[in-house]
Amino acid sequence: KALIVDFGSQVTQLIARRVREAGVYCEIVPFQSAEKAFDAIKPGAIILSGGPASVTQAGSPRAPENILNSGLPILAICYGQQTIAAQMGGAVEGGHHAEFGRAEVEVIAPSALFDGLWETGGRHQVWMSHGDRVTKLPDGFTVKARSENAPLAFASDEKRKIFTTQFHPEVVHTPDGAKLLANFVQKVAGLKSDWTMAAFRGEAVKAIRAQVGQGRVLCGLSGGVDSAVAAVLLHEAIGERLTCVFVDHGLLRMGEAEEVVRLFRDHYNIPLVHVEAQDLFINALEGEVDPETKRKTIGRLFIETFEAEAKKIAADGKGAPEFLAQGTLYPDVIESVSFTGGPSVTIKSHHNVGGLPARMNMKLVEPLRELFKDEVRALGRELGLPEAFVGRHPFPGPGLAIRCPGGVTREKLEILRKADAVYLDEIRKAGLYDVIWQAFAVLLPVRTVGVMGDGRTYDHVCALRAVTSVDGMTADFYPYDMAFLGRAATRIINEVKGVNRVVYDVTSKPPGTIEWE
Ligand code: XMP
């Protein structure tokens, strides 16, 4: 295993991804708890991340001494490089806050990290962090690569296997970065590349059995990839002691409920409770226009429905379920280092089954909590989930309700479902589905005048949204070509009664959010 000590860089998670792509399992820990984690995890290699602080400031983060003295191979990136210099007898000159930029490094001496990759004299593109810089190296270190603005772009003590870099090997803008990281964990640290999805599957099944024992587990399915993968994995581990509940709140996309039911009942033969709660939800939402109230109403009803189902399950006399399964992923779990402090503003109340475990007095089973989204997809493939399901765009818990600004009605949902299906069909035909992070239609509470044939129309406006993103935290609108937008708009207006105008949303996040409510 490799241990990544997080100093608060925005891209620490990418280090973990690159290491795992090299087949080596790793964990991220905040620098404050690194000393303990080191003893508990017993890693074979250490990576120190970048971070926003300045080592010249009093009280700035440091790498724990037990790690520095461990004799293990260390790769220190950016802030990591500076703290190594400060802690091992070098010097760092204060500059400004770290800022990224493209740079070219020239290799001036060989390093074990460059093995089979970079030759002396070669020039390579990297993504560099400017700001503080190391001015004097600790004893034993020599420079192996430099750039115009960074004379110590890469310096190492090859004997002690400590490598420090001012550039970021983990980002895609450093094209050879993934290979440098692979060299570090595989060749330098000699860690085995045995982190595969097949291996994970076996480990996860064992871990679930150990945690659950003879208990029963309830798993809520949302129609999304994460909960589906968690459910299939749990079923493999504990069979009929798992009950899957799929609450159809009437806010799903076209064909979605049927697809989930088919997947579980027919494809996997996993029993599924399909709760038809459409009227309950839609009646409660009637006349409600405030986005937060809509979200909260849906969350509350979801919890109530779920509780009622849990009671029914316990009624068979085989015991009440003590465990609740959730498809929580690694990015939600890692305790990232935050330097901003203070309470953050609630932008939206995200709805998942978060309120459930406490209210129902259940213990959580989270078999995916060590995985990134793309790893969950890989695990889904490993478990035989159909490709079309594994590659799905994310879909929010409150469903189409938050894509119907203003009041939700059955009629509006029907129009929206059709427009959305036509739009996604065009995206698939254009081969863009996998390029886009998320795409959907929004039905606006605005009517405009149009002309169709010889008649006047007065119908809804449909807005189209498509974004690229890595994690949903920030996003760019997708730059379609106009011909595509024209085709999608024409088809929607021709095929969907109730829509006579289509617009495209060109807002990125921030300042917009991905969903409209
Ligand atoms: P926003 O709109 O906040 O969305 O930019 C970011 C990502 O989160 C999804 N989203 C949700 N997912 N429950 C969910 O499970 C929610 O309540 C929820 N609200 C937004 C959204 O679709 C996007 O992928």
Side-chain angles (χ1 to χ4, degrees):
K1 285 184 214 170
L3 178 69
I4 299 167
V5 179
D6 184 18
F7 288 116
S9 159
Q10 300 288 325
V11 288
T12 302
Q13 289 196 18
L14 292 180
I15 306 176
R17 298 199 33 172
R18 298 285 108 82
V19 171
R20 290 191 189 181
E21 279 161 18
V24 172
Y25 181 69
C26 63
E27 286 183 31
I28 302 176
V29 293
F31 68 90
Q32 300 96 325
S33 39
E35 186 175 345
K36 270 203 198 128
F38 176 79
D39 293 332
I41 294 173
K42 302 194 179 21
I46 307 287
I47 301 177
L48 306 180
S49 86
S54 167
V55 294
T56 59
Q57 284 161 0
S60 53
R62 289 289 177 268
E65 291 296 324
N66 64 342
I67 289 183
L68 292 190
N69 298 330
S70 65
L72 290 174
I74 298 177
L75 172 61
I77 300 167
C78 189
Y79 184 87
Q81 179 185 49
Q82 292 152 22
T83 192
I84 288 267
Q87 291 180 258
M88 299 183 98
V92 178
E93 184 186 87
H96 344 271
H97 264 292
E99 161 191 16
F100 283 138
R102 207 178 286 271
E104 194 184 65
V105 291
E106 184 195 352
V107 178
I108 55 176
S111 165
L113 235 66
F114 304 163
D115 199 30
L117 194 62
W118 287 2
E119 311 230 322
T120 304
R123 290 173 165 275
H124 305 279
Q125 189 198 308
V126 297
W127 202 246
M128 188 77 83
S129 208
H130 303 286
D132 291 354
R133 70 158 81 136
V134 175
T135 49
K136 176 175 169 287
L137 290 171
D139 288 343
F141 283 76
T142 51
V143 182
K144 306 291 171 5
R146 65 182 170 209
S147 78
E148 203 174 328
N149 291 316
L152 307 185
F154 186 96
S156 56
D157 179 337
E158 301 282 323
K159 249 202 219 120
R160 282 192 285 171
K161 298 189 182 175
I162 304 180
F163 307 85
T164 72
T165 149
Q166 197 181 337
F167 62 84
H168 287 265
E170 69 275 32
V171 303
V172 289
H173 304 85
T174 300
D176 291 332
K179 290 188 194 138
L180 291 170
L181 282 163
N183 267 355
F184 175 67
V185 288
Q186 294 171 343
K187 292 192 185 164
V188 174
L191 299 181
K192 265 200 276 163
S193 290
D194 53 6
W195 164 256
T196 61
M197 271 311 148
F200 177 83
R201 176 183 183 171
E203 291 293 313
V205 164
K206 267 194 247 160
I208 293 168
R209 287 183 185 148
Q211 186 191 356
V212 171
Q214 289 306 307
R216 294 177 97 178
V217 180
L218 201 60
C219 179
L221 293 176
S222 66
V225 183
D226 305 342
S227 58
V229 170
V232 175
L233 191 63
L234 277 152
H235 190 256
E236 180 165 305
I238 60 165
E240 64 195 22
R241 277 178 292 120
L242 170 74
T243 307
C244 294
V245 177
F246 174 55
V247 179
D248 184 345
H249 50 21
L251 305 165
L252 297 167
R253 290 168 292 186
M254 193 176 280
E256 198 159 25
E258 295 76 6
E259 209 181 316
V260 173
V261 172
R262 243 197 335 264
L263 178 69
F264 278 81
R265 288 195 184 146
D266 301 346
H267 186 80
Y268 282 111
N269 201 12
I270 298 179
L272 173 77
V273 181
H274 179 193
V275 188
E276 306 250 14
Q278 295 93 328
D279 287 342
L280 176 73
F281 281 80
I282 294 167
N283 292 344
L285 287 170
E286 206 167 354
E288 191 50 65
V289 297
D290 177 63
E292 275 302 284
T293 313
K294 283 161 79 176
R295 282 176 169 272
K296 289 196 172 132
T297 302
I298 295 166
R300 175 177 56 79
L301 291 177
F302 190 85
I303 289 181
E304 288 172 13
T305 312
F306 218 79
E307 281 178 324
E309 289 309 315
K311 282 217 184 81
K312 284 188 206 160
I313 291 164
D316 70 2
K318 292 188 208 152
E322 317 156 47
F323 295 92
L324 182 79
Q326 293 199 328
T328 317
L329 305 191
Y330 197 48
D332 309 320
V333 174
I334 45 171
E335 183 197 342
S336 287
V337 178
S338 163
F339 281 85
T340 47
S344 55
V345 180
T346 301
I347 308 290
K348 300 177 184 184
S349 307
H350 273 221
H351 143 236
N352 47 36
V353 276
L356 269 172
R359 181 159 157 168
M360 294 169 66
N361 205 4
M362 291 170 97
K363 286 173 256 173
L364 277 179
V365 186
E366 300 177 312
L368 310 181
R369 56 183 285 127
E370 285 164 7
L371 304 183
F372 289 104
K373 186 85 183 179
D374 55 336
E375 292 175 326
V376 171
R377 292 194 161 125
L379 178 60
R381 290 188 188 101
E382 174 70 35
L383 291 164
L385 255 79
E387 194 54 40
F389 201 88
V390 168
R392 285 177 140 207
H393 288 176
F395 186 66
L400 298 182
I402 57 171
R403 296 176 180 175
C404 259
V408 173
T409 64
R410 287 179 178 76
E411 186 210 354
K412 276 162 111 183
L413 288 170
E414 209 38 52
I415 297 173
L416 176 56
R417 255 191 280 273
K418 285 185 187 147
D420 190 69
V422 172
Y423 176 42
L424 287 177
D425 184 50
E426 278 300 315
I427 290 175
R428 286 207 175 85
K429 280 189 180 140
L432 296 174
Y433 189 84
D434 294 333
V435 182
I436 292 169
W437 158 268
Q438 199 173 5
F440 53 87
V442 180
L443 192 72
L444 303 193
V446 177
R447 284 168 195 262
T448 69
V449 174
V451 50
M452 264 181 117
D454 292 326
R456 175 186 193 266
T457 57
Y458 186 55
D459 277 330
H460 286 285
V461 181
C462 172
L464 304 182
R465 184 89 166 122
V467 296
T468 53
S469 177
V470 234
D471 51 13
M473 300 298 288
T474 59
D476 284 321
F477 73 85
Y478 186 74
Y480 286 123
D481 66 47
M482 286 296 161
F484 172 87
L485 284 173
R487 268 199 315 277
T490 306
R491 266 196 67 192
I492 291 171
I493 294 166
N494 285 339
E495 296 175 29
V496 184
K497 202 165 165 295
V499 174
N500 70 349
R501 189 178 298 269
V502 172
V503 296
Y504 185 53
D505 179 356
V506 292
T507 319
S508 290
K509 173 183 180 175
T513 54
I514 296 177
E515 304 288 347
W516 279 41
E517 289 194 331

